[in-house]
Amino acid sequence: MQLIIVSGRSGSGKTIALRVLEDLGFYCVDNIPISLLPTLVHAVMDKYESIAVSIDVRNLPSDENDLVETLEFLPAQTKADILFIDAADEVIMRRFGETRRMHPLSQGNIMLNDAIALEHKLLEPLATRATWRIDSSAFSVHELSEQVTERVLGRKMNKLILVFMSFGFKHGLPSTLDTVFDARILPNPHWEPELKPYTGLDAPVQRFLGQQPLVTKFVYQVENFIATWLPYFQRSNRSYLTVGIGCTGGQHRSVYIAEQLGTYFRTQHEQVQVKHRELEKK
């Protein structure tokens, strides 16, 4: 039986994640005291193959050892996977400001920022045991739903989802990357006046970069690196591997290389996605 514990800080998107799991066919229970988890599992395991429960800071035991004992007391054939959703402090504060909801730890004279920091500390025992961690800071509701779906289904089908993401270093590193390759050393179409308006998805830029021996060598060696180590990532039973390709602005070189890698690995890997962070912002 599959059991997923959904947790994370308030305002990060736990409710959205639980709703996604319900749509995927899980029997879902919101906000259950963790001490009651073994009882729930024993009660419904004969009827449901997949269960998801949401646990927040209000229902955690005060002693971390109690949490460990509760998870160990689950039926032998049940292994709990933990999906932990989080977001940056300033994002959580903004979300509470927009919804005008009260933080569950905002009692007495405690300020919102102090409540958020305290919640982070109290949830750390669950966070450190997480099977999947998602930072929802930059995600819309739809994007967060997609992330939850891809992680859970990828794990369930035991098939790693390989993602190539282009980005610009001047805009910061994407929070979801597992490994990064720096393409800033390569010839830059940005300095070619006739190519500057285009992106790595356009034929003029693709022709320019495809004729550069250094670019060809870079793509070839990245392909070899990923092809060599991809089986080891799959054996580690992970469901998601996101490879970042970065250049200065995320418009030309990184986009072209991510597309080249996606095309190559689609011939040998079942689930491959290509995303362009800076282009998707436009």
Side-chain angles (χ1 to χ4, degrees), residues 191-226:
W191 302 116
E192 304 293 330
E194 69 277 12
L195 297 179
K196 184 177 178 179
Y198 295 105
T199 74
L201 297 177
D202 298 314
V205 172
Q206 293 173 350
R207 283 195 297 270
F208 173 83
L209 291 173
Q211 294 170 359
Q212 305 295 322
L214 197 60
V215 174
T216 302
K217 184 176 182 180
F218 185 95
V219 173
Y220 174 74
Q221 292 191 340
V222 172
E223 287 174 350
N224 280 343
F225 178 88
I226 297 174

Side-chain angles (χ1 to χ4, degrees), residues 54-68:
S54 174
I55 295 174
D56 69 18
V57 69
R58 294 168 294 183
N59 290 322
L60 284 177
S62 56
D63 189 339
E64 182 179 341
N65 292 327
D66 292 341
L67 169 63
V68 176

Side-chain angles (χ1 to χ4, degrees), residues 136-207:
S136 68
S137 299
F139 292 154
S140 65
V141 171
H142 174 75
E143 289 170 333
L144 177 57
S145 300
E146 186 179 72
Q147 290 282 319
V148 172
T149 300
E150 289 178 348
R151 279 164 167 75
V152 172
L153 290 183
R155 175 82 174 203
K156 186 175 180 180
M157 296 183 295
N158 198 27
K159 295 191 185 228
L160 181 145
I161 299 171
L162 179 59
V163 179
F164 296 102
M165 178 181 291
S166 70
F167 69 94
F169 277 100
K170 72 177 183 179
H171 303 295
L173 286 170
S175 60
T176 56
L177 298 185
D178 295 301
T179 189
V180 178
F181 293 94
D182 188 346
R184 288 176 292 184
I185 58 172
L186 303 177
N188 191 355
H190 176 83
W191 302 116
E192 304 293 330
E194 69 277 12
L195 297 179
K196 184 177 178 179
Y198 295 105
T199 74
L201 297 177
D202 298 314
V205 172
Q206 293 173 350
R207 283 195 297 270

Side-chain angles (χ1 to χ4, degrees), residues 198-271:
Y198 295 105
T199 74
L201 297 177
D202 298 314
V205 172
Q206 293 173 350
R207 283 195 297 270
F208 173 83
L209 291 173
Q211 294 170 359
Q212 305 295 322
L214 197 60
V215 174
T216 302
K217 184 176 182 180
F218 185 95
V219 173
Y220 174 74
Q221 292 191 340
V222 172
E223 287 174 350
N224 280 343
F225 178 88
I226 297 174
T228 298
W229 294 106
L230 185 58
Y232 294 92
F233 282 108
Q234 290 175 305
R235 289 172 199 165
S236 67
N237 204 29
R238 64 190 298 156
S239 61
Y240 218 82
L241 177 64
T242 302
V243 178
I245 310 295
C247 61
T248 304
Q251 302 295 315
H252 301 103
R253 294 166 291 181
S254 61
V255 172
Y256 170 80
I257 293 169
E259 288 289 334
Q260 294 295 305
L261 293 171
T263 299
Y264 175 80
F265 279 97
R266 285 190 181 104
T267 64
Q268 53 187 281
H269 191 75
E270 185 173 341
Q271 299 193 59

